Amino acid sequence: MDVDGHPGLEAAKAAIRALPPKWTAASERAAGGLWRLPRAADAVEYALAEPQEGLRERGWVMVRARVAEEIGSGRDWTREAAVWLARAGATWRESARVTGDLAWRARAEGFSALLFLDEAYVASLDPDTARGRALWHCFLTTLRYDFRCVAIEEFFDALPAGRDHADPYTDALRASPCSGARGRRGWR
């Protein structure tokens, strides 16, 4: 039997194609239900591998729904986000957008990325890979949302010499207006 033509996979692919291409609360609820379909993960990988932007965006709606479930359960959502961003070979823009949304949501629900990631671990990751970049984005964005600007500055100061290559989003977090906040009370 042709694995790619499996009826469950074809049904899941069709259901993903029927999702709205932009994230909304309604599209997330619909996507959450689609994860229960047989071969849903394979269908999401298919959607994320497609160069057609609309289908790829629907794949990101599915990923957000999956990671939102992890956030709601209190499990390590950063790992799940990084896995999907790596599987899709996410660009820095996609990574920044997806992790920014998820980091905000997790923070609001009491499951900040800082519960699952620490500075030493994140610094050990290669930000030139989709997985490493995703975890850098989760960590640094959460610090930014918490107004922990000095911690962002200290993170970059502690990196070994020659580890200054980063994507534009990470560069922006590094150079954010609060980066000169050292010594200000409450900004650690």
Side-chain angles (χ1 to χ4, degrees):
M1 174 180 208
D2 178 18
V3 175
D4 287 335
H6 185 277
L9 177 61
E10 293 308 315
K13 286 162 73 173
I16 290 171
R17 278 193 290 275
L19 282 172
K22 298 292 180 193
W23 179 90
T24 64
S27 66
E28 181 181 303
R29 278 191 303 279
L34 298 183
W35 276 104
R36 290 160 183 73
L37 294 174
R39 307 286 306 272
D42 294 331
V44 172
E45 283 192 46
Y46 169 80
L48 292 171
E50 283 298 305
Q52 178 190 355
E53 186 176 321
L55 188 54
R56 189 164 170 92
E57 283 303 314
R58 287 170 174 89
W60 290 126
V61 169
M62 291 291 293
V63 168
R64 281 188 173 97
R66 176 71 191 101
V67 177
E69 185 177 304
E70 293 295 292
I71 292 168
S73 74
R75 292 187 295 261
D76 183 357
W77 64 271
T78 64
R79 181 187 171 285
E80 189 73 13
V83 164
W84 282 103
L85 288 158
R87 281 183 182 174
T91 66
W92 69 265
R93 283 182 180 93
E94 290 169 327
S95 179
R97 185 168 39 95
V98 170
T99 60
D101 292 347
L102 294 169
W104 184 261
R105 176 189 208 132
R107 182 180 180 275
E109 292 187 25
F111 297 107
S112 163
L114 302 180
L115 294 173
F116 309 106
L117 300 172
D118 65 37
E119 180 179 332
Y121 175 67
V122 174
S124 74
L125 300 170
D126 182 357
D128 290 331
T129 66
R131 181 181 178 280
R133 182 174 46 247
L135 292 173
W136 274 52
H137 287 171
C138 286
F139 180 73
L140 293 168
T141 300
T142 299
L143 289 175
R144 181 67 175 107
Y145 288 159
D146 287 349
F147 299 103
R148 295 185 56 193
C149 303
V150 172
I152 294 171
E153 192 171 289
E154 289 172 351
F155 173 81
F156 285 106
D157 288 348
L159 291 175
R163 275 297 293 280
D164 60 355
H165 180 271
D167 60 272
Y169 180 70
T170 302
D171 286 341
L173 288 168
R174 181 180 200 169
S176 68
C178 70
S179 66
R182 182 164 283 177
R184 289 188 198 164
R185 216 172 269 201
W187 287 67
R188 187 149 178 63

